[in-house]
Amino acid sequence: MIEVEDLQVFYGEGRDRFHAVRDVSFRVEKGETYGLVGESGSGKSSVLNAIAGRHSDWTGTVRLAGAEVDPRRRNPADRQKVQIVFQDPFGAIHPKHTIGGTIAEPLAINRRQNRGETVDALLRQVGLPGRFRYRYPHQISGGQRQRVSIARALALQSPILLLDEPTSALDVSVQAEILNLLQDLRRDQGLTYLMVTHDIGVVGHMCDRIGVMKDGRIVEELTKAQLVRGETAHPFTRELLSESLLG
Ligand SMILES: Nc1ncnc2c1ncn2[C@@H]1O[C@H](COP(=O)(O)OP(=O)(O)OP(=O)(O)O)[C@@H](O)[C@H]1O
Ligand SMILES: [Mg+2]
């Protein structure tokens, strides 16, 4: 569902040009959740933003659902293959738009019919009552706002969701609810996830495989079974594991 080969991501121009992601390759099968872990600044969000079409200064090959996409998504069909959900549900939602308006926006941009019904169905899918469509973001909780971002990401029925620390801004009790919701949606809708997390607990709950990033590269790839057995070759992964066991 996701094939990335030899991805290089850059920022800036001339002397300020920065090579943030180097030689990154991985693939994610349909229905799988692939986790990206690694220290701050290692390039995890850069990989997601390149795949999402949010940052276009990259080289390499990205195939989504079997077809190659270009950095600028010149083909409109490519824009509906993947959606991204961010860490901060407040930052991702317009404060002056109603919940219904927020969820309907991608539908309106793509001139979809029956938007009211679709918004109702999306609210239901993420476990929110239909009357929430009339509320504003400040009138709902952080966990509910993250449900709204997920509903919006589901609106165009994209088969791939990119999740950039989707629960790290939430209370621990709410984190589990959101992770369970994501698991249910993945199973029921056959979605494929690429997920950034700092939390080894989240990896254990969600991910079939992980790639460990350091200094812009994937330095190690592990299945969940290898992770559980502690079979990590790279000292950085060991560090990450022990840190999260302590934390
Ligand atoms: N818009 C930008 N302009 C310039 N440099 C950037 C930009 N975005 C990211 N970078 C740099 O690219 C590198 C990778 O950043 P990225 O955001 O991908 O890291 P990350 O692994 O997601 O970190 P974190 O865990 O803190 O979110 C960092 O050195 C960062 O400073
Ligand atoms: Mg990041």
Side-chain angles (χ1 to χ4, degrees), residues 11-12 18 20 38-47 164-165 196 198:
Y11 295 102
F18 179 63
E39 63 196 16
S40 182
S42 57
K44 306 178 297 294
S45 297
S46 299
V47 170
D164 198 344
E165 304 200 47
V196 170
H198 274 119

Side-chain angles (χ1 to χ4, degrees), residues 98-101 120 123 130-136 139:
T98 61
I99 299 310
D120 273 337
L123 282 169
R131 60 183 149 66
F132 268 49
R133 62 191 299 163
Y134 304 110
R135 295 206 189 177
Y136 289 89
Q139 296 172 318

Side-chain angles (χ1 to χ4, degrees), residues 1-7 9 21-29 32-36 43-44 46-51 61-64 160 162 192-196 209-213 216-218 220-222:
M1 206 61 171
I2 307 173
E3 285 178 273
V4 174
E5 274 169 30
D6 215 20
L7 180 68
V9 179
V21 171
R22 294 169 185 268
D23 313 325
V24 161
S25 301
F26 61 96
R27 46 188 294 154
V28 189
E29 307 299 329
E32 214 184 7
T33 298
Y34 188 95
L36 280 179
K44 306 178 297 294
S46 299
V47 170
L48 261 57
N49 287 325
I51 295 173
T61 309
V62 175
R63 281 187 215 93
L64 301 176
I160 301 168
L162 310 179
T192 301
Y193 291 165
L194 172 61
M195 173 175 207
V196 170
R209 284 186 303 133
I210 60 165
V212 182
M213 289 195 70
R217 298 175 192 275
I218 291 186
E220 182 166 31
E221 204 171 64
L222 292 164

Side-chain angles (χ1 to χ4, degrees), residues 7 10 17 26 31 37 54 59 64 68 73 89-90 125-126 135 140-141 144 153 181 198 203 238 241 243:
L7 180 68
F10 305 91
R17 193 153 173 80
F26 61 96
V37 304
R54 291 168 44 83
T59 64
L64 301 176
E68 191 169 341
R73 304 297 140 100
F90 227 155
Q125 282 172 37
V126 299
R135 295 206 189 177
I140 63 177
S141 73
Q144 289 165 341
L181 170 67
H198 274 119
V203 169
R238 214 173 283 278
L241 277 172
E243 247 173 56

Side-chain angles (χ1 to χ4, degrees), residues 10-20 57:
F10 305 91
Y11 295 102
E13 299 296 333
R15 286 176 55 203
D16 293 330
R17 193 153 173 80
F18 179 63
H19 193 166
D57 192 358

